[in-house]
Amino acid sequence: MKFLTIMSWKPENAETITEEFKKWKVPDGMKFLYGPCTVLGANKSISIVELNDEAWAKVDRYWRKYCKMEQYPLMDVAELMKITP
């Protein structure tokens, strides 16, 4: 499934986030469709990803100790039209 992912962190953790991102390996089952892009001055990163449940759990477990992660499901309009009356 596709998700809009927003990660945010405290300003004092910015250097730690950068260092962890350099070491982090994208898990199998996850693909970046856009980003990640840092929102300068806001201590946030925005990306659009496609991932399965196992990859989602791995990402969540890795990053939760460093930042807050919000994910919003995305659906193509054509897919949405198939399920709405």
Side-chain angles (χ1 to χ4, degrees):
M1 187 160 185
K2 297 175 190 167
F3 293 92
L4 167 65
T5 302
I6 303 170
M7 295 171 55
S8 56
W9 53 88
K10 295 177 183 176
E12 58 269 19
N13 293 341
E15 191 172 320
T16 301
I17 295 294
T18 300
E19 292 305 313
E20 288 301 319
F21 188 75
K22 289 179 188 178
K23 295 188 295 187
W24 180 62
K25 304 289 186 221
V26 176
D28 289 338
M30 179 179 178
K31 176 180 167 187
F32 280 98
L33 302 176
Y34 175 80
C37 298
T38 301
V39 180
L40 296 175
N43 300 305
K44 292 185 180 197
S45 172
I46 298 171
S47 57
I48 296 176
V49 297
E50 189 167 39
L51 71 169
N52 61 31
D53 292 343
E54 184 178 333
W56 185 90
K58 288 179 180 179
V59 170
D60 180 63
R61 277 188 232 139
Y62 186 90
W63 287 105
R64 74 169 46 200
K65 61 186 165 228
Y66 303 109
C67 58
K68 177 183 175 187
M69 188 167 49
E70 302 170 70
Q71 289 191 312
Y72 302 94
L74 299 175
M75 187 176 274
D76 294 326
V77 173
E79 292 174 31
L80 180 62
M81 295 305 291
K82 290 177 189 176
I83 61 172
T84 55

